[in-house]
Amino acid sequence: MKAALLTPLPVEEYLEGEQRSEIRHEYVAGQVYAMAGAKLRHNAIVRNLAVLLGQHKKTFCEFFIADMKVRVRSIDAFYYPDIVLRCGTPLPGDSLYLEDPCLVIEVLSASTANIDRREKLHAYQALPSLREYVLVDSDSRSIELYRRRPEGWWYELLGESEGDSLRFQCVDLALSLAEVYAGVDLPAAPVTD
C-alpha cells in the first residue's frame, strides 16, 4: 500500500496553472479536478442557448461559455459552468473569473450530473448575486430550474408538459424547449410496459 499527504494547492498557483494548461480544471478547497470533454449533443445544447442569449443580450449583461470560471469564496471553489451570465458594470478584460453571476447553466452528462445537482447546486446558491441555476439534460428533453425568490429557492421541472417554456428572469427571456433542443439528436426514450 502507498500513502501520500494531499497538500492543498494555493489559489494563486491554481489560477497561474490554469492560464498555462491545455486542460481545464475545477478547484475545490485546494484540490484540483480535470474536466472531461463533452459529447456532441452537449455542445449543441450549449450552442443553442448561447445563440438565443446572444440574440437577446442586454447591453448591461454579458454571458460567457465554458472557459470562464466562477469563484465561490464561501467554499473556496472555482467552477467552469457551461454558460454563465452576469449583469452590471463590465469587468476588466484580463479578469480570470466571475464572482457575481445572476444565471448559471450546466448541461448534464452522465459523468457530471451528480456533482451538478448536489455540490454545485449548493455552492452556487451561496452566491448572493445568483438568481437562477439551470440544469439541462443532454439525454432527454428535461430542464431543472432553481430560482431564488424572497422566501427561498424554488424548483421547477420543465419538459413534462408540451407547452413548457424556460424563462430567465435576470434577462427577461423566455425560450421554448424546442429552441433549446433544436437540432439535438437525443437518445430514444426507453420503452415502458
Side-chain angles (χ1 to χ4, degrees):
M1 179 170 107
K2 291 186 179 186
L5 175 65
L6 291 175
T7 307
L9 182 69
V11 167
E12 299 75 24
E13 288 183 37
Y14 163 72
L15 292 171
E16 183 180 310
E18 280 301 276
Q19 291 182 71
R20 293 189 317 268
S21 179
E22 293 181 19
I23 300 170
R24 296 179 303 148
H25 301 85
E26 293 187 327
Y27 175 98
V28 180
Q31 301 303 311
V32 177
Y33 303 93
M35 303 283 296
K39 293 181 180 177
L40 180 63
R41 67 177 161 261
H42 179 284
N43 284 299
I45 292 167
V46 170
R47 177 203 61 224
N48 290 348
L49 287 165
V51 167
L52 295 162
L53 279 166
Q55 291 171 346
H56 182 75
K57 185 178 160 191
K58 293 187 174 186
T59 57
F60 59 91
C61 296
E62 49 192 346
F63 74 95
F64 303 92
I65 306 167
D67 286 332
M68 180 54 74
K69 292 178 283 302
V70 170
R71 184 174 193 178
V72 184
R73 283 186 189 266
S74 64
I75 64 161
D76 191 24
F78 290 86
Y79 297 113
Y80 282 98
D82 290 309
I83 297 177
V84 59
L85 184 132
R86 73 174 294 277
C87 299
T89 308
L91 293 172
D94 60 352
S95 297
L96 297 175
Y97 55 86
L98 308 174
E99 293 188 84
D100 60 348
C102 69
L103 169 67
V104 170
I105 302 172
E106 295 283 8
V107 177
L108 300 174
S109 65
S111 63
T112 66
N114 287 334
I115 292 169
D116 292 337
R117 283 192 175 110
R118 286 194 309 251
E119 177 187 321
K120 290 183 181 182
L121 168 65
H122 296 295
Y124 289 138
Q125 286 177 332
L127 295 169
S129 62
L130 191 72
R131 294 175 59 190
E132 295 157 314
Y133 179 52
V134 181
L135 300 171
V136 182
D137 197 322
S138 65
D139 289 329
S140 67
R141 209 169 139 131
S142 176
I143 298 175
E144 298 172 59
L145 171 63
Y146 295 86
R147 187 182 318 273
R148 185 188 305 265
R149 294 191 177 156
E151 61 276 8
W153 285 91
W154 286 74
Y155 172 81
E156 296 175 39
L157 178 61
L158 308 171
E160 295 180 338
S161 300
E162 189 60 36
D164 282 352
S165 66
L166 175 61
R167 175 171 287 284
F168 300 129
Q169 290 184 344
C170 72
V171 289
D172 191 27
L173 173 64
L175 304 174
S176 70
L177 269 63
E179 291 174 301
V180 173
Y181 288 99
V184 177
D185 183 24
L186 294 173
V191 178
T192 57
D193 293 335

